[in-house]
Amino acid sequence: MRLDKLLANMGFGTRKTVKDVLKSKEVTVNGLVEKEGKKQVNPEKDAIAVSGEAIQYQEFVYFMLHKPQGVVSATTDNVHKTVIDLLQPQDQSRDPFPVGRLDKDTEGLLILTNDGTLAHNLLSPKKHVDKCYQASIEGIVDEQDIQEFASGITLDDGFNCQSAKLEIESIDVEKEQSVIRVTIHEGKFHQVKRMFEAVDKSVSYLKRLSMGEVQLDETLKLGEYRPLTKAELDSLTHS
């Protein structure tokens, strides 16, 4: 790997601005000052330091974001703010992307990473990775709905959803509203909303609570994020 790429990936600037860091003579490789960005280094074998501080290279990054409404689950968008825009510049430089999508008006847990293999495994229907949501529903959710979700809802385009677990948290009879939790395995476009449309109800609020065994850290405010813990990452890699 080129030294300038490694430094850029570790948050010391872009490939261009890293040149200034190298010119400062503060970068050492195996104890020797190195000013050439094109120098090839091995992060696992070479001792690389900036201003005397050793650099521990991490190939992949894994973040948990508490996604707010009004932000799109994309890396770029010409109109709307993206989830990547919520990250610090040094984290943006690692080229993370959202694992799956949450609708623009949906809140909750979103995992961001640059690990394509992990993302593929988490999104593959064959892996049966649970995704749990809390939702406010216009309409009274009942036992028949629970049974239909368990049997597999058919969406408006004919797609047959896998069995889903629907749980009722509360019902307001006067307002004809329900608060529920639903656990699904796929991630089709607007899937939860379309599942409720199939039983003649509508979703007015949606929040993802968990993905696999990783639960949304409720201490994170909307728009905040943090790295996944080792235990959280291990639970995803062994899903």
Side-chain angles (χ1 to χ4, degrees):
M1 174 184 290
R2 286 176 58 120
L3 179 59
D4 54 3
K5 181 179 180 182
L6 182 146
L7 294 173
N9 284 349
M10 295 308 295
F12 287 96
T14 65
R15 288 281 281 274
K16 289 185 178 181
T17 59
V18 158
K19 289 181 180 180
D20 294 329
V21 179
L22 290 162
K23 288 179 181 178
S24 71
K25 299 182 180 181
E26 292 294 326
V27 179
T28 60
V29 178
N30 299 323
L32 300 176
V33 173
E34 182 56 63
K35 297 188 292 182
E36 292 294 329
K38 63 183 179 182
K39 179 179 176 61
Q40 293 292 321
V41 293
N42 185 332
E44 296 181 1
K45 295 181 179 180
D46 293 322
I48 303 164
V50 177
S51 301
E53 183 176 343
I55 302 300
Q56 299 297 325
Y57 181 70
Q58 181 184 7
E59 182 178 6
F60 298 120
V61 293
Y62 307 92
F63 300 122
M64 172 193 295
L65 170 71
H66 191 171
K67 179 193 172 299
Q69 293 184 6
V71 179
V72 297
S73 299
T75 54
T76 59
D77 191 283
N78 293 329
V79 179
H80 304 291
K81 190 174 187 178
T82 74
V83 291
I84 303 302
D85 294 328
L86 299 175
L87 305 182
Q88 294 296 317
Q90 64 267 28
D91 294 327
Q92 292 181 15
S93 72
R94 303 302 302 277
D95 297 325
F97 53 86
V99 178
R101 304 178 72 88
L102 287 181
D103 299 337
K104 181 183 173 186
D105 59 353
T106 299
E107 299 178 358
L109 172 67
L110 188 64
I111 294 172
L112 303 169
T113 185
N114 54 359
D115 185 343
T117 300
L118 176 67
H120 172 77
N121 289 338
L122 291 178
L123 297 175
S124 172
K126 295 180 181 178
K127 296 290 184 178
H128 298 282
V129 176
D130 290 347
K131 303 170 189 70
C132 180
Y133 297 80
Q134 183 183 61
S136 298
I137 306 299
E138 297 299 319
I140 303 297
V141 178
D142 56 23
E143 187 62 35
Q144 182 177 342
D145 296 323
I146 293 175
Q147 292 177 4
E148 287 195 42
F149 272 61
S151 299
I153 292 287
T154 299
L155 302 182
D156 51 5
D157 61 359
F159 177 80
N160 293 315
C161 298
Q162 295 177 10
S163 174
K165 183 180 181 181
L166 176 59
E167 303 170 275
I168 301 171
E169 290 194 345
S170 64
I171 291 176
D172 188 321
V173 177
E174 290 186 3
K175 295 183 178 179
E176 294 191 354
Q177 295 174 335
S178 309
V179 177
I180 61 88
R181 287 195 183 206
V182 61
T183 303
I184 63 175
H185 307 298
E186 307 113 322
K188 295 293 180 182
F189 184 66
H190 293 316
Q191 181 171 336
V192 173
K193 296 175 182 178
R194 292 165 66 199
M195 290 171 78
F196 278 98
E197 288 172 1
V199 291
D200 299 320
K201 295 174 179 64
S202 63
V203 175
S204 58
Y205 171 79
L206 188 62
K207 176 180 182 178
R208 182 152 69 191
L209 302 177
S210 64
M211 189 170 190
E213 295 183 19
V214 175
Q215 306 279 333
L216 175 64
D217 184 343
E218 294 291 355
T219 65
L220 289 175
K221 297 177 182 178
L222 285 167
E224 291 185 342
Y225 71 102
R226 65 163 173 79
L228 291 181
T229 66
K230 185 179 184 303
E232 289 168 340
L233 181 56
D234 286 346
S235 75
L236 292 178
T237 55
H238 294 97
S239 294

Short mmCIF file of all heavy atoms in Angstrom, two decimals, residues 14 23 26 39 84 90 109 138 140 155 160 163 172 192 199 201 216 220 229 237:
data_model
loop_
_atom_site.label_atom_id
_atom_site.label_comp_id
_atom_site.label_asym_id
_atom_site.label_seq_id
_atom_site.Cartn_x
_atom_site.Cartn_y
_atom_site.Cartn_z
N THR A 14 -6.49 14.32 2.86
CA THR A 14 -6.71 13.69 1.57
C THR A 14 -5.36 13.27 1.00
O THR A 14 -4.30 13.61 1.53
CB THR A 14 -7.40 14.67 0.60
OG1 THR A 14 -6.49 15.76 0.34
CG2 THR A 14 -8.69 15.21 1.20
N LYS A 23 5.98 16.33 4.02
CA LYS A 23 7.02 17.35 3.90
C LYS A 23 7.49 17.85 5.26
O LYS A 23 8.61 18.34 5.40
CB LYS A 23 6.50 18.54 3.07
CG LYS A 23 6.36 18.25 1.58
CD LYS A 23 5.81 19.47 0.86
CE LYS A 23 5.64 19.20 -0.63
NZ LYS A 23 5.05 20.37 -1.34
N GLU A 26 7.60 14.63 9.73
CA GLU A 26 7.08 14.06 10.98
C GLU A 26 6.67 12.60 10.80
O GLU A 26 6.26 11.95 11.76
CB GLU A 26 5.88 14.87 11.47
CG GLU A 26 6.22 16.27 11.94
CD GLU A 26 7.08 16.28 13.19
OE1 GLU A 26 6.94 15.38 14.03
OE2 GLU A 26 7.95 17.17 13.30
N LYS A 39 5.89 5.72 -1.53
CA LYS A 39 6.61 4.61 -0.93
C LYS A 39 5.62 3.51 -0.54
O LYS A 39 4.58 3.76 0.08
CB LYS A 39 7.38 5.05 0.31
CG LYS A 39 8.14 3.89 0.99
CD LYS A 39 8.92 4.35 2.19
CE LYS A 39 9.57 3.17 2.89
NZ LYS A 39 10.54 2.44 2.02
N ILE A 84 -23.66 9.86 5.11
CA ILE A 84 -22.21 10.08 5.11
C ILE A 84 -21.89 11.50 5.54
O ILE A 84 -20.86 11.76 6.17
CB ILE A 84 -21.62 9.78 3.72
CG1 ILE A 84 -21.97 8.35 3.29
CG2 ILE A 84 -20.11 9.98 3.71
CD1 ILE A 84 -21.49 7.27 4.24
N GLN A 90 -12.52 12.69 8.80
CA GLN A 90 -11.57 11.58 8.83
C GLN A 90 -12.26 10.23 8.67
O GLN A 90 -11.66 9.27 8.18
CB GLN A 90 -10.73 11.59 10.12
CG GLN A 90 -11.52 11.37 11.40
CD GLN A 90 -11.97 12.66 12.05
OE1 GLN A 90 -12.16 13.66 11.35
NE2 GLN A 90 -12.12 12.65 13.36
N LEU A 109 -31.40 2.58 13.85
CA LEU A 109 -30.09 1.94 13.66
C LEU A 109 -29.72 1.80 12.19
O LEU A 109 -30.47 1.23 11.40
CB LEU A 109 -30.11 0.56 14.31
CG LEU A 109 -28.89 -0.33 14.06
CD1 LEU A 109 -27.66 0.27 14.72
CD2 LEU A 109 -29.13 -1.74 14.56
N GLU A 138 -51.56 3.56 11.80
CA GLU A 138 -52.92 4.10 11.70
C GLU A 138 -53.84 2.91 11.45
O GLU A 138 -53.86 2.32 10.37
CB GLU A 138 -53.01 5.11 10.55
CG GLU A 138 -52.13 6.35 10.73
CD GLU A 138 -52.49 7.14 11.97
OE1 GLU A 138 -53.70 7.30 12.26
OE2 GLU A 138 -51.56 7.60 12.66
N ILE A 140 -56.15 -0.39 13.91
CA ILE A 140 -56.05 -1.30 15.05
C ILE A 140 -55.44 -2.61 14.58
O ILE A 140 -56.04 -3.34 13.78
CB ILE A 140 -57.44 -1.57 15.69
CG1 ILE A 140 -58.09 -0.25 16.13
CG2 ILE A 140 -57.29 -2.53 16.86
CD1 ILE A 140 -57.33 0.49 17.19
N LEU A 155 -46.81 -8.60 -1.04
CA LEU A 155 -46.80 -7.17 -1.32
C LEU A 155 -47.55 -6.85 -2.60
O LEU A 155 -47.94 -7.75 -3.36
CB LEU A 155 -45.35 -6.67 -1.41
CG LEU A 155 -44.48 -6.89 -0.18
CD1 LEU A 155 -43.10 -6.29 -0.39
CD2 LEU A 155 -45.12 -6.30 1.07
N ASN A 160 -43.64 -12.29 -2.21
CA ASN A 160 -44.06 -12.99 -1.01
C ASN A 160 -43.00 -12.83 0.08
O ASN A 160 -41.90 -13.37 -0.05
CB ASN A 160 -44.30 -14.47 -1.30
CG ASN A 160 -45.48 -14.69 -2.22
OD1 ASN A 160 -46.54 -14.10 -2.04
ND2 ASN A 160 -45.31 -15.53 -3.23
N SER A 163 -41.82 -15.18 6.62
CA SER A 163 -42.56 -15.06 7.87
C SER A 163 -41.97 -13.93 8.71
O SER A 163 -40.75 -13.81 8.84
CB SER A 163 -42.49 -16.38 8.63
OG SER A 163 -43.08 -16.24 9.91
N ASP A 172 -54.58 2.35 20.94
CA ASP A 172 -55.45 3.45 21.33
C ASP A 172 -56.73 3.32 20.51
O ASP A 172 -56.77 3.67 19.33
CB ASP A 172 -54.76 4.80 21.05
CG ASP A 172 -55.53 5.98 21.62
OD1 ASP A 172 -56.78 5.95 21.56
OD2 ASP A 172 -54.90 6.93 22.10
N VAL A 192 -41.67 -2.61 5.28
CA VAL A 192 -42.57 -2.60 6.44
C VAL A 192 -43.83 -1.81 6.12
O VAL A 192 -44.95 -2.23 6.43
CB VAL A 192 -41.86 -2.02 7.68
CG1 VAL A 192 -42.85 -1.85 8.83
CG2 VAL A 192 -40.71 -2.92 8.11
N VAL A 199 -52.45 -5.08 4.65
CA VAL A 199 -53.54 -5.43 5.58
C VAL A 199 -54.37 -4.17 5.89
O VAL A 199 -54.96 -4.04 6.96
CB VAL A 199 -52.99 -6.07 6.88
CG1 VAL A 199 -52.42 -7.45 6.57
CG2 VAL A 199 -51.96 -5.18 7.56
N LYS A 201 -53.65 -0.97 6.46
CA LYS A 201 -53.25 -0.04 7.51
C LYS A 201 -52.06 0.77 6.98
O LYS A 201 -51.51 0.46 5.94
CB LYS A 201 -52.88 -0.80 8.78
CG LYS A 201 -54.07 -1.54 9.40
CD LYS A 201 -53.66 -2.40 10.57
CE LYS A 201 -54.87 -3.10 11.17
NZ LYS A 201 -55.50 -4.05 10.24
N LEU A 216 -29.75 -0.78 18.80
CA LEU A 216 -29.48 0.65 18.74
C LEU A 216 -29.08 1.16 20.12
O LEU A 216 -29.76 0.90 21.11
CB LEU A 216 -30.73 1.40 18.26
CG LEU A 216 -30.62 2.94 18.27
CD1 LEU A 216 -29.56 3.42 17.29
CD2 LEU A 216 -31.97 3.57 17.96
N LEU A 220 -27.07 7.33 21.98
CA LEU A 220 -26.75 8.12 20.79
C LEU A 220 -27.94 9.01 20.44
O LEU A 220 -29.06 8.51 20.25
CB LEU A 220 -26.44 7.21 19.59
CG LEU A 220 -25.13 6.42 19.61
CD1 LEU A 220 -25.08 5.49 18.39
CD2 LEU A 220 -23.93 7.34 19.62
N THR A 229 -18.69 -1.92 18.93
CA THR A 229 -17.80 -2.58 19.89
C THR A 229 -17.35 -3.91 19.29
O THR A 229 -17.94 -4.42 18.33
CB THR A 229 -18.52 -2.84 21.22
OG1 THR A 229 -19.58 -3.80 20.99
CG2 THR A 229 -19.12 -1.56 21.79
N THR A 237 -20.37 -10.74 12.44
CA THR A 237 -19.54 -11.59 11.60
C THR A 237 -19.84 -13.05 11.77
O THR A 237 -19.52 -13.87 10.91
CB THR A 237 -18.04 -11.34 11.87
OG1 THR A 237 -17.78 -11.51 13.26
CG2 THR A 237 -17.65 -9.92 11.46
#
